[in-house]
Structure formats: structure tokens, C-alpha cells
């Protein structure tokens, strides 16, 4: 039985409420007296990244104080391990480490901490001889974590560390680079439908597809991806109301607007998605009173879905939004400035602003 998607409200906002969303993001830094603020410490540094990138895309980067933000990131650094925790005093993890590196890169502040220590922390999370990186010292394996490692190393200018040669376990005499081991591991995580799971044998999921495709794009190894098959799987995620889901028979969710669109943008199949209907779905999930975007219409907004809704609109060429890079989920100008831009597809808004985009590569 097919799970029905929720309907789009007839009273949904017709435009992106950028001023309101900016106010909403800024207000999140002023809620230290709330219980929710303290219950989300484990996501704090990720949340700062989500809010900052959303503001950058809306052209309001300076709405949050740069120095206060950079100082906070520095306080999240764990000098014992070289990685970053989600909040001062929290254990280091690759998820929060990538967010920290992204924030510092956006603010041109990567020199605030010893880059070599951060690189060593990331490299140390790859088990000996393996082609994947664990999320932290406790060894959880997930395609997202390897993406975090590859992305962070790239932003730190250390992707060359993956070109070191190692022997392959069980294949006496064969020696390959760490980069090739990573590619082979992603290949092992690829499924019959063209998608990728969290690890070998796991179900294909749009979030894991983004992590895998984006990592392979950074490594210049998209040759192992069947673009047509995976593009079909990704385009099949769009439901009748225009929203996208993460896997078959699931409800639509605004965050998949990014996970699906970014991957299909990298594969240059963005025109396989009905942009107009997806734009309408994202706009319908806005909170017209307090600002922010929710997972779907009628739910409570949060900064996670706010970023990924706005970032998806940017890929779709929504007017007055600045370009976002689909591989790194960072301002395109930052990635271009670092010399890391990959060949992807985005949509540009027509001059008449009719809500439809044209494909550009």
C-alpha cells in the first residue's frame, strides 16, 4: 500500500519570507534560558553551521556576529584529540568537526587553530587498511562520516593525504592509494537500484546517496556511479504534492529537497525534478508568524529544515538567493575561492520571475 503524502495548504505563503527567516535564525542564539536550548547541546555546532549557511544564501551573513561565532567554534575544539565536539566539553566527532571547518572556512578563519592537528584527528579515524572513516573513537561506520572526512580534508587542503599507498588486505602484492580504498568502499555500499546505503548491504537512502555522490565528486571518481539509474531513483522520490521523500513509501520532508537535489545536481539530472511543484512544497512549510521552515506544512520549524529548504530553493534558482555549492553545502563563492568547485548543474531564474528555472551546467 502506498503511503499518501500530505496535501499542500491553500493558504501557504506565496514567497520566501527571508526577513522573517533571518529574524528566526538570529533569535535561536537568544534562547539560553529555554530547556530546548540545553537539550540540543549535542547539535549546537551543527546548528551554528546550518544557521550561518542559510543566512549566507539569503545574503545576510553578517546577521550573526562573526567574532563571537569563531570564538565559539574555537572553544569547541578538543585539544586532546584535535577534533571538535558539538559544544565546549563534548567529545570530538566527525560531524561536528566538519561543521567547525565549514564555519571557519566561510569566515576565512581556518588559521585560528593548528590545521595539522585537525587533519591528524580526521586521518586517525580511518581503521588500519580500511576505506572508510568512523564517526568518532567508538567506531560507528556510516557513509556520512566518510563524506565528512573527505569534505573536511578537502577544505583543509589536505586531500593529498589520501594519495598515500597501502597494501590491500588479502591481496598479497597489490598496493593502492587510500583514495582508491575509499572509492572501493563506496562502490561496495552501492545497491542494485543505483543508490547507496549507510554501509555495505544497507538500504538506499537519499541522505546516504548525497554523502556518497558528493564524496565521490570531491575524489573525482563519479565514474563508478550509474548516473542514469541513480538519477531515476532520485527523481522517483518526488510525490504528487511536489515534496521529496528519502526512500520509497515514506512521507515527503523538506530536508530531502536538499539531499535529493544536491545529488541529482551533481549528476546533472536536475531537470528530472518538477521544480515548480517542489518550490511550492517548500514554501508551504514556512512558518508565516515566527519564521523558519518545518519538515512539512503545519509542523514546527527548526533551523535544520530551514537551511535545507533554502539551500534547495537556491539550487532551483529561486530569486534573490545566492548560489550554494551542491557538493559542500556552502556558499558557492567560498568554494570557488578555495578552488574546489566541481562541474554540477543548477537552475537559474527566468527574468520574469515566473517560478520556473532553466538548467545551467
Amino acid at each position: 500500500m502506498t503511503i499518501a503524502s500530505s496535501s499542500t495548504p491553500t493558504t501557504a505563503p506565496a514567497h520566501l519570507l527571508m526577513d522573517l527567516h533571518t529574524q528566526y535564525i538570529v533569535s535561536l542564539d537568544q534562547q539560553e534560558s529555554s530547556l530546548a536550548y540545553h537539550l540540543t547541546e549535542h547539535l549546537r555546532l551543527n546548528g551554528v553551521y546550518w544557521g550561518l549557511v542559510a543566512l549566507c544564501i539569503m545574503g545576510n551573513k553578517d546577521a550573526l556576529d562573526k567574532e563571537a561565532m569563531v570564538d565559539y567554534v574555537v572553544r569547541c575544539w578538543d585539544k586532546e584529540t584535535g577534533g571538535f565536539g558539538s559544544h565546549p566539553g563534548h567529545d570530538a566527532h566527525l560531524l561536528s568537526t566538519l561543521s567547525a571547518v565549514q564555519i571557519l572556512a566561510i569566515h576565512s578563519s581556518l588559521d585560528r587553530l593548528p590545521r595539522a592537528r585537525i587533519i591528524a584527528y580526521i586521518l586517525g579515524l580511518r581503521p588500519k587498511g580500511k576505506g572508510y572513516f568512523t564517526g568518532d573513537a567508538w567506531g560507528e561506520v556510516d557513509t556520512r562520516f566518510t563524506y565528512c572526512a573527505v569534505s573536511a580534508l578537502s577544505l583543509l587542503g589536505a586531500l593529498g593525504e589520501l594519495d598515500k599507498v597501502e597494501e590491500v588486505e588479502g591481496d598479497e602484492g597489490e598496493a593502492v592509494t587510500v583514495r582508491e580504498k575509499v572509492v572501493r568502499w563506496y562502490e561496495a555500499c552501492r545497491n542494485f537500484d543505483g543508490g547507496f546505503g549507510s554501509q555495505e548491504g544497507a538500504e538506499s537512502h537519499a541522505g546516504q546517496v548525497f554523502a556518497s555522490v558528493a564524496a565521490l565528486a570531491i575524489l573525482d571518481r563519479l565514474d563508478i556511479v550509474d548516473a542514469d539509474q541513480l538519477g531515476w531513483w532520485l527523481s522517483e522520490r518526488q510525490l504528487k504534492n511536489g515534496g521529496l521523500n528519502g526512500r520509497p513509501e515514506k512521507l515527503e520532508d523538506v530536508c530531502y529537497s536538499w539531499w535529493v537535489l544536491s545529488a541529482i545536481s551533481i549528476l546533472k539530472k536536475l531537470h528530472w525534478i518538477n521544480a515548480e511543484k517542489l518550490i511550492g512544497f517548500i514554501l508551504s512549510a514556512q512558518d508565516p508568524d515566527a519564521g523558519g521552515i518545518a519538515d512539512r506544512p503545519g509542523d514546527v520549524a527548526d533551523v535544520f529544515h530551514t537551511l535545507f529548504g533554502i539551500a534547495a530553493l537556491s539550487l532551483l534558482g529561486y530569486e534573490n538567493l545566492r548560489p550554494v555549492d551542491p557538493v559542500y553545502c556552502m556558499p558557492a563563492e567560498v568554494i570557488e575561492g578555495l578552488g574546489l568547485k566541481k562541474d554540477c548543474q543548477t537552475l537559474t531564474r527566468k527574468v520574469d520571475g515566473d517560478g520556473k528555472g532553466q538548467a545551467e551546467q
Side-chain angles (χ1 to χ4, degrees):
M1 181 179 69
T2 301
I3 297 178
S5 61
S6 59
S7 60
T8 301
T10 56
T11 57
H15 302 286
L16 184 64
L17 309 173
M18 288 200 286
D19 289 344
L20 202 56
H21 298 327
T22 297
Q23 295 171 22
Y24 164 73
I25 292 170
V26 171
S27 75
L28 296 176
D29 193 40
Q30 303 167 354
Q31 299 179 12
E32 294 187 20
S33 60
S34 70
L35 177 61
Y37 183 90
H38 296 282
L39 290 177
T40 54
E41 272 191 3
H42 65 293
L43 294 172
R44 182 77 73 246
L45 193 51
N46 302 125
V48 173
Y49 155 74
W50 297 329
L52 173 61
V53 176
L55 290 172
C56 288
I57 296 171
M58 292 188 292
N60 292 319
K61 176 182 176 181
D62 296 331
L64 291 174
D65 184 79
K66 170 187 173 179
E67 289 307 317
M69 186 181 298
V70 171
D71 287 344
Y72 174 75
V73 173
V74 170
R75 288 193 292 118
C76 290
W77 186 60
D78 180 2
K79 64 180 180 181
E80 298 298 323
T81 64
F84 292 82
S86 58
H87 189 66
H90 284 233
D91 293 330
H93 195 286
L94 261 179
L95 289 172
S96 45
T97 296
L98 175 59
S99 289
V101 171
Q102 290 170 314
I103 294 167
L104 294 177
I106 290 171
H107 281 310
S108 303
S109 299
L110 284 171
D111 59 349
R112 287 288 300 270
L113 288 169
R115 191 177 301 212
R117 291 286 315 281
I118 303 171
I119 294 169
Y121 166 74
I122 296 170
L123 295 174
L125 291 175
R126 185 178 68 90
K128 184 178 180 180
K130 301 299 182 182
Y132 57 79
F133 292 77
T134 61
D136 54 24
W138 285 268
E140 183 181 1
V141 179
D142 191 306
T143 43
R144 294 173 302 160
F145 303 152
T146 298
Y147 164 75
C148 289
V150 171
S151 181
L153 288 173
S154 176
L155 292 169
L156 291 166
L159 204 57
E161 293 289 338
L162 301 183
D163 292 326
K164 294 181 178 179
V165 176
E166 293 183 342
E167 290 187 0
V168 177
E169 290 184 6
D171 293 329
E172 187 175 351
E174 183 185 9
V176 300
T177 63
V178 176
R179 181 191 296 253
E180 180 61 24
K181 288 186 176 183
V182 172
V183 171
R184 291 182 183 183
W185 182 71
Y186 271 117
E187 194 167 20
C189 295
R190 191 181 61 204
N191 293 317
F192 71 92
D193 54 16
F196 295 82
S198 59
Q199 51 189 292
E200 294 181 52
E203 177 186 10
S204 294
H205 188 283
Q208 315 297 336
V209 167
F210 160 76
S212 303
V213 171
L216 290 168
I218 294 171
L219 296 171
D220 295 318
R221 287 302 308 274
L222 286 173
D223 56 287
I224 74 163
V225 178
D226 186 329
D228 287 340
Q229 184 183 32
L230 182 52
W232 167 82
W233 187 89
L234 289 166
S235 64
E236 284 292 301
R237 305 279 60 78
Q238 189 161 34
L239 304 179
K240 290 183 178 180
N241 69 349
L244 300 167
N245 62 19
R247 50 198 169 116
E249 303 301 322
K250 297 296 182 180
L251 289 175
E252 70 286 344
D253 187 316
V254 164
C255 72
Y256 294 118
S257 303
W258 171 259
W259 306 125
V260 171
L261 279 189
S262 55
I264 210 168
S265 166
I266 295 168
L267 299 176
K268 300 182 181 179
K269 307 290 184 184
L270 197 56
H271 53 289
W272 289 9
I273 295 292
N274 187 317
E276 188 173 6
K277 291 190 70 174
L278 179 55
I279 288 172
F281 170 73
I282 295 171
L283 294 179
S284 74
Q286 298 179 101
D287 182 336
D289 299 315
I293 301 175
D295 57 348
R296 58 183 61 91
D299 287 351
V300 178
D302 59 72
V303 67
F304 175 86
H305 290 92
T306 300
L307 164 61
F308 293 123
I310 291 172
L313 290 174
S314 174
L315 287 181
L316 293 172
Y318 195 88
E319 60 262 30
N320 299 321
L321 291 181
R322 302 204 175 166
V324 63
D325 187 276
V327 175
Y328 294 90
C329 195
M330 293 171 61
E333 61 182 355
V334 173
I335 298 305
E336 291 173 9
L338 293 171
L340 300 176
K341 182 181 179 181
K342 299 297 180 181
D343 188 18
C344 302
Q345 180 190 39
T346 58
L347 299 183
T348 54
R349 179 72 47 194
K350 288 183 178 179
V351 176
D352 60 7
D354 64 357
K356 299 177 183 178
Q358 295 177 312
E360 270 199 356
Q361 292 184 6

